[in-house]
Amino acid sequence: MTDVGRVWEELGDWQRSLREQFPIITGHPDLAYLDSAATSQKPRAVLDAVQEYLVTGNANAGRGTYPWANATTAMVERTRDRVRAFLDDPEPERSSVHFVSGTTEGLRRIALDWLTAFLADGDEIVVPFADHQANLSPWLEARDALARRGIGVRVVEMPRQAGSGDYDTDALAALVGPRTRFVALTHVHHVYGGDMNVHRVREAVGPDAVICLDAAQSVGHLPVSVAELDVDFVVFSGHKALALPGIGAVWSRRARGPRFAPGGWDGTPNTVGIASLAAALDWLDGAGVARIDRWCAGLAARLTEALGELPAFEVLGCQLSLADDSPVQRRSSIVAFRHRRIDSGDLGFILFSHGFMVRSDSHCQAGADPGDGSVRVSLHVYNTPEEIDALVAVLRDL
């Protein structure tokens, strides 16, 4: 039996019980939601937690002495601890968790409120030019802000391996030097679906450079352990991890550089979003994130193997990761592909006419132009092998 076959045999009953907990999924049996990299669906436990908070104790945090306000303040602080625990933080007393609207805001806050105070004239930063635009624009914005103050910072493009999208850590090691102070990384690529091997980047840049990790496509999809990842910042969005839109978190470790603190007045937090995030992390822990990762990787393998047998399609990213007996790390939950004749936007409309909801554009990838569009299938625990097989049947007829 192949690894994919073992996944279905071992986890099929577990997955069916979890799928039933997503009302929007079970309420639309004629549709297949395949766009979880854009936003995930919400289990009943998260929806119930939000309603319970709103009808039993909704109040502002840190601004009152009555019971509802006190309970909300305590809930916010508990959720900070919950984020630390979910990220396997071995030294929570040395770290901080700040709530933001999502990954984009979190990265920008690090860039403008922390990085600009950390860098000096002549320093260098390494940033990805082919990952999500949100993990490029803030660092360029910080460089320009420093330039207006007469501080020159060199931006080095993260080298990549041709075709696969993976970071080229051998080339990176030759680029870094004593003035390399900061490196921005992606944990799981939002188009190619591969783990970007953070540990290899740390080896290449050495022990002193600050590493900021965009974990938008990993938190809630696979285990993320800061005890194992030698990084200084982890930023993620709640809405991609089964929580509500408009909530995210910046985890920072006080190991290299000054303490991170967002600038400006600390206004009213998104308390409803924070309540949803706490419930989502609880649900994910109960389900088992490692099992979710294994299930989704199995689905991705099923899809990529089928696409490899269809000459009309090109799968993006590392081609060695497409086979069930792949010698390299498998894709997690994201598969992007193109038809060699049909425009990706048109293909997205065709697929929806058959009940499949996919993303079909350039996916906010930095450096992409309108001709770089692709169809992206992104999976979560509520997706099934039957949905993948039905999708492939439609693609085969195109």
Side-chain angles (χ1 to χ4, degrees), residues 222-260:
L222 52 84
V224 179
S225 171
V226 296
E228 299 175 4
L229 297 170
D230 186 8
V231 299
D232 302 273
F233 294 96
V234 172
V235 190
F236 68 93
S237 299
H239 74 97
K240 298 179 190 290
L242 310 186
L244 294 185
I247 189 63
V250 175
W251 173 92
S252 64
R253 191 202 321 262
R254 301 168 194 164
R256 304 171 181 92
R259 176 181 178 274
F260 170 68

Side-chain angles (χ1 to χ4, degrees), residues 82-98:
R82 191 69 190 83
V83 170
R84 291 184 179 96
F86 192 79
L87 296 179
D88 191 27
D89 187 344
E91 298 179 289
E93 69 281 357
R94 294 189 59 195
S95 67
S96 64
V97 173
H98 294 274

Side-chain angles (χ1 to χ4, degrees), residues 177-191:
R179 298 304 298 271
T180 302
R181 306 291 306 284
F182 179 88
V183 181
L185 301 178
T186 298
H187 197 184
V188 171
H189 199 278
H190 73 295
V191 178

Side-chain angles (χ1 to χ4, degrees), residues 263-334:
W265 177 253
D266 189 11
T268 298
N270 178 1
T271 55
V272 178
I274 293 169
S276 78
L277 180 60
L281 299 184
D282 286 345
W283 191 93
L284 288 162
D285 266 344
V289 181
R291 284 181 291 180
I292 292 173
D293 177 34
R294 190 162 173 242
W295 179 262
C296 293
L299 292 177
R302 194 180 187 99
L303 176 57
T304 54
E305 288 167 16
L307 288 170
E309 298 174 358
L310 302 179
F313 290 90
E314 170 197 8
V315 180
L316 306 188
C318 178
Q319 299 302 296
L320 293 177
S321 70
L322 302 184
D324 184 42
D325 58 352
S326 167
V328 300
Q329 193 166 27
R330 298 305 307 267
R331 295 162 191 254
S332 58
S333 59
I334 296 171

